[in-house]
Amino acid sequence: MGPDRTPPQPDTERWVPVVVPSGDNNHHGAAASSSLPCRFYTREGLRISHLAQLLKLIQDTNHNNTNHDETCTDDTTTTNELHLYAVPAGRVFMFAPHHVGEVFDLSHVQDATGNSLRLEVLSVDPRVFDIIHFFSKDESDAIIEKALRETSDTHGFHRSTTGSTGASVFARRTSENAWDTNGKVALTVKRRCFRTLGFDEYYESHTDGLQILRYNQTNAYVPHMDYLSDAAKEPYDMRSEGRGGNRFATILMYMSDMEEGAGGETVFSRARLAGDDVPTSTEVIKTMRESGELDSISPGSWEENMIGQCRTNLSVRPKKARAVLFYSQFPNGKEDPKSFHGACPVLGDHSKWACNLWVWNAARAEFPHAPFKFQPPTQGDSQHVKISATFVNSGNDPKFDKAQLYWQDQFFGDLSKGKSVNVNTYPTHVWNIKDEHGNKLQSFHINSGSLHQQYQV
């Protein structure tokens, strides 16, 4: 796709260009060009990393076809075929659905009890999937219990906010949320997310952390994009159709049952339900008003308007231990506007619990290999000078034995005794060292003195 459309990745240094000879036979002296090789995946997101693996897959496919019932049929879907997908360097694998109800068997990914995961297509446009066997009710309970025990101001439950460069309360997002960045169950679930999405390895740099959500009666969130807008003055490049990074996939996990009529669905408001018998939003609201279902919702409010959208567009009803995947980007990195979605108001005396993981197509700003716009930095503009910093735990002070590194209040990595962590950062950034309970032990303010800095505890 070319250097201007190839986001950097953690393994960028290991990429080996392939020399492509000139195709013009009339110019014998024409220079050859080079191209970065694609990576290949099966339809189910298993990466083909060596020839023996590919031959084994071909063998298994042929064996399945040989043993297949030879009954004459016009149904071509019963034939086993090996489909391979080429993913350009710097890009991420994405499932390619063809029809609603299509199934992807992920035999290479298991849940906590050894069940293989399975994807079932809920929608092709936008691309939405049910993930069967993704997580368990026990894992759900453990995530909620840890979030309720969290006492820190930043990670404990508080009014949900919005914004990519600064958190602010938004009147049309009325839920509460907490964060679990490095809990045992949270890390297990996050790693499973990456395996499900076709990653070879888990990268903390490619995720925001697990966000736990609580919606009480009437709480909702208007339709929005998980894909973040690019801020012109910010050095980080969010233009993922180029060489930038942004959220490309969301895995949403429901942690409570919402019966029919209780609300709380996830609605994709640009995906109108098909059929001549689908009522209008106005008709839906009128009927629900007359039945008393909207007694808790103010007439003419944005919540009422949302309920009309929720009953006339593609929506997913919460069920405990149900998980859904949807994409915010197309395979070429462009934003998918059909992924516009919202959280429908909770009706009656109910509460909805959920959590989600946003996964990025490139490293976030604080991590090595992150894509930046200002390279090299503007002369004299010290705030846009990227600093390579290393934090080291010498092991000399016992209070830092279980230390954790945070960028402001966002968990970054394990800095326990004897460990070190490398980061990309900028002057004026603040890095905090906390203990395992979230108590701040020490803070470091990045200065503009040197491009390579080291800090030790």
Side-chain angles (χ1 to χ4, degrees):
M1 298 180 71
D4 293 336
R5 294 188 183 181
T6 305
Q9 297 295 340
D11 60 350
T12 294
E13 289 84 359
R14 301 202 300 268
W15 294 351
V16 180
V18 175
V19 176
V20 182
S22 172
D24 192 343
N25 295 326
N26 297 322
H27 295 81
H28 298 291
S33 60
S34 64
S35 176
L36 292 171
C38 292
R39 291 165 290 124
F40 289 87
Y41 293 80
T42 65
R43 169 181 171 273
E44 294 76 21
L46 176 64
R47 185 179 176 185
I48 309 300
S49 56
H50 52 83
L51 182 59
Q53 181 188 16
L54 176 59
L55 293 174
K56 177 68 164 57
L57 287 169
I58 294 172
Q59 267 185 348
D60 292 344
T61 301
N62 289 337
H63 177 73
N64 290 336
N65 282 335
T66 301
N67 293 336
H68 186 70
D69 185 2
E70 297 181 357
T71 303
C72 182
T73 178
D74 291 330
D75 184 4
T76 57
T77 62
T78 58
T79 303
N80 289 301
E81 297 176 333
L82 179 60
H83 291 246
L84 297 181
Y85 290 81
V87 178
R91 294 292 167 189
V92 290
F93 170 83
M94 296 186 192
F95 294 101
H98 292 89
H99 58 84
V100 173
E102 183 180 6
V103 172
F104 295 76
D105 288 313
L106 277 57
S107 59
H108 59 287
V109 185
Q110 285 81 38
D111 67 4
T113 59
N115 292 310
S116 294
L117 271 58
R118 189 171 80 252
L119 265 61
E120 183 173 332
V121 179
L122 297 177
S123 169
V124 175
D125 184 25
R127 292 154 296 153
V128 185
F129 308 79
D130 248 330
I131 315 178
I132 313 301
H133 299 314
F134 182 76
F135 77 129
S136 68
K137 293 182 179 181
D138 287 343
E139 288 174 322
S140 169
D141 291 340
I143 291 170
I144 292 175
E145 288 169 7
K146 185 177 185 303
L148 289 172
R149 292 196 307 269
E150 181 61 61
T151 58
S152 73
D153 293 337
T154 56
H155 284 53
F157 273 102
H158 54 276
R159 172 72 182 269
S160 297
T161 58
T162 61
S164 59
T165 58
S168 59
V169 171
F170 179 42
R172 297 189 177 187
R173 186 186 187 189
T174 51
S175 60
E176 299 173 291
N177 76 319
W179 293 92
D180 191 343
T181 52
N182 61 333
K184 182 179 179 180
V185 176
L187 283 172
T188 297
V189 170
K190 287 162 67 177
R191 291 178 185 277
R192 195 178 300 144
C193 286
F194 274 65
R195 292 196 301 273
T196 301
L197 293 172
F199 283 85
D200 290 337
E201 301 178 47
Y202 170 74
Y203 299 120
E204 184 69 37
S205 59
H206 285 51
T207 170
D208 289 280
L210 203 64
Q211 180 182 218
I212 299 94
L213 298 157
R214 177 169 58 192
Y215 290 82
N216 293 318
Q217 187 179 26
T218 74
N219 287 171
Y221 188 6
V222 290
H224 59 280
M225 295 292 295
D226 283 349
Y227 189 97
L228 300 171
S229 299
D230 186 66
K233 295 182 179 181
E234 289 296 317
Y236 184 81
D237 190 352
M238 288 188 175
R239 299 166 297 181
S240 54
E241 72 276 14
R243 62 181 306 277
N246 212 310
R247 296 167 179 168
F248 86 92
T250 298
I251 292 185
L252 179 57
M253 294 155 270
Y254 300 107
M255 301 191 294
S256 57
D257 292 315
M258 300 297 288
E259 62 190 38
E260 186 173 0
E265 302 93 342
T266 301
V267 63
F268 293 86
S269 56
R270 292 175 179 169
R272 173 80 178 174
L273 292 175
D276 297 332
D277 58 343
V278 179
T280 66
S281 179
T282 301
E283 291 170 339
V284 167
I285 293 171
K286 182 176 183 295
T287 300
M288 295 182 70
R289 277 279 168 215
E290 291 173 349
S291 68
E293 294 174 85
L294 299 187
D295 287 350
S296 60
I297 302 294
S298 299
S301 63
W302 64 268
E303 292 96 338
E304 182 186 70
N305 180 60
M306 266 205 77
I307 289 168
Q309 295 182 49
C310 294
R311 298 298 190 275
T312 56
N313 294 280
L314 172 68
S315 62
V316 180
R317 190 196 305 172
K319 183 178 180 181
K320 189 170 183 176
R322 182 181 191 180
V324 170
L325 159 68
F326 63 90
Y327 289 115
S328 298
Q329 294 179 25
F330 292 113
N332 63 2
K334 288 186 177 180
E335 178 183 6
D336 183 356
K338 283 289 191 74
S339 66
F340 200 66
H341 65 284
C344 300
V346 174
L347 303 176
D349 188 18
H350 298 91
S351 291
K352 166 190 163 185
W353 288 88
C355 67
N356 70 274
L357 188 75
W358 292 303
V359 184
W360 292 58
N361 69 294
R364 293 186 293 117
E366 310 83 42
F367 291 82
H369 306 289
F372 291 94
K373 303 170 194 169
F374 308 108
Q375 293 181 348
T378 304
Q379 184 68 29
D381 188 2
S382 61
Q383 287 192 340
H384 288 157
V385 176
K386 184 169 67 174
I387 306 293
S388 175
T390 302
F391 294 88
V392 180
N393 187 337
S394 65
N396 295 330
D397 190 337
K399 76 176 181 181
F400 292 102
D401 282 355
K402 296 183 179 180
Q404 298 169 348
L405 179 64
Y406 285 74
W407 177 62
Q408 297 178 353
D409 288 303
Q410 172 69 48
F411 174 76
F412 190 91
D414 179 19
L415 193 63
S416 54
K417 182 177 180 180
K419 292 192 174 182
S420 62
V421 179
N422 298 314
V423 306
N424 283 335
T425 187
Y426 285 86
T428 74
H429 277 188
V430 178
W431 292 84
N432 294 314
I433 313 297
K434 299 184 180 184
D435 62 19
E436 69 270 32
H437 304 296
N439 301 310
K440 188 185 298 185
L441 302 176
Q442 192 166 343
S443 294
F444 294 100
H445 294 253
I446 303 299
N447 60 61
S448 57
S450 171
L451 296 180
H452 300 279
Q453 301 179 19
Q454 180 170 305
Y455 299 90
Q456 182 172 299
V457 293

